[in-house]
Amino acid sequence: MNRIVTAAAHPNLAVVKYWGKADPRLNIPTNSSLSVNLGSARTTTTVSFSPDLEQDVVRLNGAAADDRTAERVARHLDRVRRLAGRTERALVDSTNDFPAAAGIASSASAFAALSLAASRALGLRLSERELSILARQGSGSACRSIPDGFVRWEAGQDDASSYAYQVAPPEHWDLRITTVIFSDQPKEVSSSDGHALAQTSPFFGARLAGLPRTLETVQAALLARDFPRFGLALEREAVNMHAIAMTADVGAAASGLYYWQATTMQLIQQVQAWRRAGLPVYFTIDAGPNVHLFCEAAQQAALEAELARLLPDMRARAIVSAPARGAWVMSEA
Ligand code: PMV
């Protein structure tokens, strides 16, 4: 029996970053990472398989997906078909409630929701670990959008040992994550290219050597709800990742990979000034110019008052999230 399944997932934001792949085909990372699911953004995906379809049909935000996206989705559906021992093609309809390329990786929520919806539609009941592995094969960081709350992705050595699991539920810590969006433009260099170039940085070895300690510091501070320790460690970790990008060998065209814009740096300086003035806020940045601000819920109103003054001048807007659940099934028929 074929079912129509709708599943949803939130994007996740890394506090210890995944940057560099040990196995690009399977998306096995060079280091373990840690993230939190962002409650104010969501991908919702409906999948149905049918023997009447000649090929997979992929719709994204109400329109036919471009060829590259459709192919990437079809390759992922092939993985699910292989697991289920089935051959029917599928109809996939996926929508994001947040702007594409908002500096929130839509591929994480997209491949998490797709993995759950497609596997259930073919009658598979995968465990959380199996789903995380499947989602990782579609897009590395998608494996972290499967479990609830605060999530660790263990790098592992092979397909079976590289998966994500919960380190604390969403209600463990009432944090607020404010994503400040400077640019809706797709980034110039994809994270895939960034991963591939990471190892060309002369500092990559130093990053890897320091990461086990960073991970333990961030995770211990998270479990103890020690905000200053957590914040400073995650902020330094984000800068560490960007130092690798900036010192990568990208060839003759540029001296490194620069994701930051002038406004990014402006907000970084502002965050330091807020802390000196007694407002505990810390930042992280992914493979783009936008800045994600962390604070505890009690400080959110003070932060928003500051942002209300700042953002119009910077032509920026903000999305505020709390820690959220992992991927879930919305309906099944
Ligand atoms: O999963 P990808 O290939 O989109 O890579 C994600 C890379 C970062 O967002 C910069 C870091 C991370 O751990 O999410």
Side-chain angles (χ1 to χ4, degrees):
M1 249 306 276
N2 288 329
R3 299 157 174 281
I4 302 176
V5 179
T6 300
H10 297 294
N12 67 78
L13 176 64
V15 289
V16 175
K17 305 293 184 190
Y18 150 48
W19 200 241
K21 300 186 191 194
D23 181 337
R25 194 179 58 87
L26 287 170
N27 294 331
I28 312 278
T30 38
N31 66 273
S32 300
S33 55
L34 202 63
S35 64
V36 55
N37 292 327
L38 298 178
S40 291
R42 176 205 280 200
T43 299
T44 307
T45 302
T46 301
V47 179
S48 57
F49 288 85
S50 161
D52 302 333
L53 287 168
E54 276 172 20
Q55 55 179 22
D56 295 317
V57 179
V58 183
R59 293 178 64 76
L60 198 57
N61 296 322
D66 62 75
D67 289 352
R68 236 179 113 227
T69 305
E71 231 171 79
R72 199 168 165 201
V73 169
R75 275 203 306 276
H76 199 59
L77 292 168
D78 285 341
R79 296 182 185 106
V80 184
R81 281 186 280 256
R82 229 174 289 131
L83 278 177
R86 300 271 289 269
T87 56
E88 301 99 301
R89 306 287 117 178
L91 188 61
V92 175
D93 196 342
S94 188
T95 53
N96 294 328
D97 70 357
F98 54 102
I104 301 176
S106 58
S107 64
S109 48
F111 279 93
L114 177 65
S115 298
L116 180 54
S119 59
R120 289 281 277 248
L122 283 183
L124 292 170
R125 290 271 172 162
L126 301 181
S127 66
E128 181 179 279
R129 182 191 296 194
E130 290 166 330
L131 265 175
S132 175
I133 289 171
L134 175 61
R136 188 203 75 234
Q137 294 166 350
S139 177
S141 59
C143 71
R144 296 187 312 229
S145 282
I146 298 290
D148 291 340
F150 299 89
V151 174
R152 177 165 171 148
W153 174 11
E154 208 57 52
Q157 305 82 42
D158 54 18
D159 193 46
S161 57
S162 187
Y163 60 89
Y165 58 90
Q166 182 189 92
V167 296
E171 57 280 7
H172 167 72
W173 204 357
D174 202 9
L175 295 176
R176 291 292 177 274
I177 301 110
T178 303
T179 298
V180 177
I181 303 171
F182 297 121
S183 169
D184 284 347
Q185 297 304 306
K187 51 196 168 218
E188 280 165 33
V189 183
S190 69
S191 50
S192 297
D193 292 341
H195 288 298
L197 290 165
Q199 307 181 19
T200 67
S201 164
F203 307 120
F204 190 63
R207 169 170 171 75
L208 288 189
L211 266 167
R213 196 148 169 239
T214 302
L215 255 171
E216 292 330 307
T217 303
V218 174
Q219 188 166 326
L222 164 67
L223 293 176
R225 297 189 201 91
D226 181 341
F227 190 64
R229 193 165 141 83
F230 178 71
L232 192 60
L234 77 86
E235 189 170 302
R236 298 194 74 196
E237 157 55 15
V239 175
N240 185 303
M241 181 212 108
H242 282 271
I244 299 302
M246 288 182 201
T247 52
D249 181 353
V250 303
S255 55
L257 201 49
Y258 304 103
Y259 287 109
W260 298 358
Q261 292 174 358
T263 43
T264 311
M265 196 62 221
Q266 210 183 318
L267 193 48
I268 289 175
Q269 303 284 24
Q270 182 62 64
V271 168
Q272 316 306 306
W274 281 329
R275 285 213 297 275
R276 284 194 299 271
L279 180 61
V281 182
Y282 296 86
F283 72 82
T284 188
I285 303 168
D286 278 343
N290 302 322
V291 177
H292 306 266
L293 303 172
F294 277 80
C295 70
E296 291 185 285
Q299 264 70 53
Q300 183 62 22
L303 176 60
E304 278 181 21
E306 293 291 329
L307 288 173
R309 276 194 287 278
L310 196 67
L311 296 193
D313 284 349
M314 297 178 109
R315 294 171 179 278
R317 57 208 177 76
I319 299 176
V320 183
S321 285
R325 67 191 298 190
W328 73 102
V329 173
M330 292 179 76
S331 69
E332 209 162 350

